[in-house]
Amino acid sequence: PRPPRRCFPDARLRPGGFCGAASIRMNLVRARSIRGKLNVVLALATGTALVLSAVALLLVYLRHELADIREELQTQAEVIAVFSAPTLAAGDAGAAQQRLGVLRARRGVEAAALYDDSGRLFASYRGEGADVDVPQRSPAMGMKAAGGRAVGARPVLLGRDQVGTIWLQMRHDRFRRQAYEYVGILLVTMAGSL
């Protein structure tokens, strides 16, 4: 009889390295597993790059959205401050209350307050269904957005004189809703690209 044909000289697969069905299958499995490992490494690298770019895009988006919310809050406060300055200077609390009442048209505004030049509460507004504690004394100046709300206070000027302070609190569910939509779109895109 003829000696068996030598095939893949690999003592680990088959002593003597002779060809046989089992030896050929083992070599094919090894070749596939290397290919599979390379595919896994490639998929992981691609996935990592996609996740990092998605996180970077989300952070940029959130930063711009927070800046927009602060700007909207500041604009609302400035408009109310301009229209309320004469009533604060005149000490007309009823007219100041009416001026704040126009905020009903702005769904996102939960509460607002005007303070006189000594920091005492002069007039206030609470949106329908809003469970908000209006500060009794004038809060610190500045704008900040945290959680689902943006809060800000700025001086009310008549000419160059400060006649009081306006405080405003807004809800910004739009921010959270859009962030969820954005994350959903990113996840679908990433899943489709893998």
Side-chain angles (χ1 to χ4, degrees), residues 10-27:
D10 190 341
R12 288 175 301 167
L13 292 177
R14 189 176 175 99
F18 292 114
C19 247
S23 177
I24 292 170
R25 268 198 306 273
M26 286 299 287
N27 282 320

Side-chain angles (χ1 to χ4, degrees), residues 108-132:
V109 177
E110 289 187 322
L114 285 167
Y115 301 88
D116 62 18
D117 57 352
S118 65
R120 287 184 309 228
L121 183 62
F122 188 71
S124 66
Y125 162 80
R126 279 186 188 86
E128 222 175 283
D131 184 25
V132 178

Side-chain angles (χ1 to χ4, degrees), residues 26-110:
M26 286 299 287
N27 282 320
L28 289 175
V29 167
R30 184 188 307 160
R32 265 189 271 162
S33 67
I34 289 172
R35 196 174 313 130
K37 289 176 188 175
L38 286 174
N39 284 339
V40 168
V41 168
L42 184 62
L44 285 175
T46 304
T48 303
L50 284 171
V51 167
L52 289 175
S53 61
V55 167
L57 284 172
L58 182 62
L59 290 176
V60 168
Y61 167 78
L62 294 177
R63 205 166 131 211
H64 285 296
E65 193 64 28
L66 280 174
D68 288 347
I69 288 167
R70 282 193 197 104
E71 189 175 326
E72 183 181 348
L73 179 69
Q74 189 166 353
T75 302
Q76 288 294 323
E78 284 176 13
V79 168
I80 296 296
V82 167
F83 288 118
S84 303
T87 58
L88 268 169
D92 188 350
Q97 194 73 39
Q98 285 180 339
R99 304 285 165 119
L100 289 177
V102 301
L103 291 171
R104 272 189 212 94
R106 301 288 302 170
R107 269 187 349 172
V109 177
E110 289 187 322

